[in-house]
Amino acid sequence: MKIFRAEPLHQHHFHDVHLGLIDRLLVKRERERPDFNRRMFDEDFARLFRSMNQRSGNLFDIVSNDEELTQKLLGNIKTRYAPHSVDETIRELVEEIAQSLIWSGRAYFFLHDDTEQEKIHMASFSSDGVVRLFCTYIQWVPKRLERHWDRDDEEIPREIRILDAAKVMRFDMPTPIKRMLSAQNRTLAVLDKHQFGEANFHSQATHENPNPTNHFDFRVWRDTQERALYRATRRTGWNGRKYDSTKRSDFFDCHRLIRFRRNQLLLRDDILNQLSSELSRIGKGYKAEFSVEISGTDELPNVSHLNELEVRLASEEVGFNEIIDYCYKR
């Protein structure tokens, strides 16, 4: 085992090595990732920006006491897509943070100083194996197999990397949303586990009875699963991607849509607050009095207007189309 100060290992895959007991406690393998309903929910909930004009460049207000340093911090962020304007970069950054928070509850970024070009690069790294002890960040890296095309594969021993806390940006899932998702996802996990359980109730054909009668009522099975899904997702407002159910009214769907969109916006605004705080903290390493605040503009939907729509919907003062347009087209 090697213990040393270093930058985090950004991309690591451990499919080709045997994970020990401690490794399995700290590192999630791909096979442990959620399936079906949970995966669909994660994808839907992390899609925080639905604006048709999201490339207009007017989505965020950035207030800073040092525009040059702000541009330096935000101008070279490595997101999952090609570089864009600062406004577009923030949008992609917030969604990338949201995806990590929904899956693991935390998101990490690390600052790399490019002294030759006088730039600051910011890149995400996996939260797997990362712990904080006494204000020190430690990344646990299990032994891994490094493949080479020009020589034999190399097995790298287990590592404990001590990271520079001044260059680590950490984002946490807000506690109310975390509790809400935890309660929902426990039920979704059970539904995913037994989703195709009705296959176990098919009567087996035999030579004496090639067409057996099956008294199992599959409609009751499906109705039970659907009711469990709607009860589990009541607080989040997720519809389970069920758009053609005859059991729901437009009134029901609009209430759920408002609730789901409100939870997304609450997460979006919290991430923007955390991003402002983390950028201000790390910026102080370059300029002691540095501060920056990032917030959404009126081009983005906001929680207060959703609350107003919900009140108007309850008093029958707003149409369904207005709610749908506001939630999906802005």
Side-chain angles (χ1 to χ4, degrees):
M1 179 186 295
K2 297 171 60 179
I3 303 176
F4 59 102
R5 292 184 175 275
E7 295 182 352
L9 186 66
H10 290 275
Q11 300 293 334
H12 49 80
H13 303 282
F14 309 116
H15 306 294
D16 300 327
V17 298
H18 174 70
L19 296 180
L21 176 60
I22 299 179
D23 297 331
R24 288 196 296 270
L25 292 176
L26 297 173
V27 178
K28 292 183 175 68
R29 306 195 70 167
E30 291 295 328
R31 61 180 175 82
E32 298 174 349
R33 293 192 177 275
D35 190 25
F36 202 70
N37 285 305
R38 170 70 191 280
R39 186 171 64 250
M40 288 194 301
F41 173 81
D42 289 356
E43 292 173 357
D44 292 347
F45 196 56
R47 199 174 297 118
L48 304 182
F49 300 97
R50 301 174 184 269
S51 176
M52 301 298 289
N53 60 345
Q54 60 190 18
R55 298 183 183 275
S56 64
N58 298 311
L59 300 182
F60 304 100
D61 280 328
I62 304 176
V63 179
S64 173
N65 59 2
D66 191 324
E67 298 294 335
E68 183 179 353
L69 180 55
T70 301
Q71 181 65 36
K72 194 174 182 180
L73 290 172
L74 295 174
N76 298 285
I77 296 177
K78 296 180 180 179
T79 60
R80 299 178 183 179
Y81 307 99
H84 301 293
S85 64
V86 170
D87 197 82
E88 185 70 10
T89 297
I90 293 175
R91 187 188 67 83
E92 292 183 0
L93 177 61
V94 171
E95 285 202 331
E96 185 171 338
I97 293 171
Q99 291 170 6
S100 297
L101 293 182
I102 293 167
W103 161 239
S104 64
R106 287 197 182 94
Y108 289 98
F109 283 76
F110 192 81
L111 269 69
H112 303 267
D113 290 313
D114 187 342
T115 55
E116 294 183 358
Q117 300 184 10
E118 296 184 350
K119 292 183 177 180
I120 303 171
H121 299 279
M122 189 185 305
S124 63
F125 64 97
S126 174
S127 61
D128 287 348
V130 179
V131 295
R132 183 170 63 175
L133 297 175
F134 305 108
C135 299
T136 300
Y137 288 97
I138 297 173
Q139 184 183 39
W140 180 281
V141 183
K143 64 179 180 179
R144 63 194 187 278
L145 197 63
E146 193 171 281
R147 299 186 179 276
H148 305 280
W149 65 272
D150 57 345
R151 63 181 190 273
D152 292 339
D153 295 341
E154 179 183 5
E155 186 174 282
I156 309 298
R158 183 181 288 111
E159 299 174 350
I160 296 181
R161 297 189 174 205
I162 302 175
L163 311 180
D164 185 352
K167 296 183 178 182
V168 174
M169 295 176 62
R170 166 175 163 166
F171 302 88
D172 295 297
M173 176 67 83
T175 301
I177 297 180
K178 183 177 182 180
R179 291 174 179 171
M180 179 176 60
L181 297 187
S182 177
Q184 170 193 272
N185 292 340
R186 285 196 295 268
T187 301
L188 293 187
V190 175
L191 290 174
D192 288 338
K193 181 179 179 180
H194 300 287
Q195 181 185 4
F196 303 107
E198 65 267 21
N200 299 326
F201 298 100
H202 285 286
S203 300
Q204 298 297 319
T206 63
H207 180 73
E208 294 79 11
N209 186 13
N211 296 306
T213 301
N214 193 340
H215 299 286
F216 183 78
D217 194 332
F218 293 99
R219 290 176 301 178
V220 174
W221 173 270
R222 288 191 295 269
D223 289 345
T224 301
Q225 287 190 318
E226 190 171 82
R227 285 198 301 271
L229 175 66
Y230 285 136
R231 288 173 181 171
T233 58
R234 182 176 296 164
R235 292 185 61 193
T236 63
W238 188 53
N239 63 5
R241 295 189 184 179
K242 296 180 180 290
Y243 301 102
D244 58 351
S245 175
T246 59
K247 302 174 184 178
R248 304 194 321 264
S249 66
D250 292 338
F251 190 81
F252 176 92
D253 287 337
C254 284
H255 264 294
R256 283 239 166 182
L257 180 57
I258 290 174
R259 192 177 306 133
F260 184 74
R261 202 74 181 101
R262 182 195 292 119
N263 286 323
Q264 286 184 304
L265 300 189
L266 289 173
L267 177 60
R268 181 202 69 190
D269 293 344
D270 190 89
I271 292 175
L272 287 175
N273 289 334
Q274 291 189 63
L275 181 60
S276 301
S277 176
E278 287 296 289
L279 287 174
S280 298
R281 180 183 61 82
I282 62 177
K284 286 179 170 57
Y286 302 91
K287 182 179 179 181
E289 65 276 11
F290 176 74
S291 66
V292 61
E293 182 177 349
I294 304 174
S295 59
T297 68
D298 292 337
E299 293 293 323
L300 294 174
N302 58 75
V303 174
S304 61
H305 190 74
L306 281 177
N307 292 338
E308 179 186 343
L309 285 176
E310 188 173 38
V311 173
R312 293 172 61 197
L313 177 62
S315 58
E316 301 179 358
E317 296 177 355
V318 64
F320 300 141
N321 289 337
E322 182 178 343
I323 294 174
I324 293 172
D325 289 346
Y326 187 80
C327 291
Y328 282 123
K329 295 184 179 181
R330 290 204 63 186

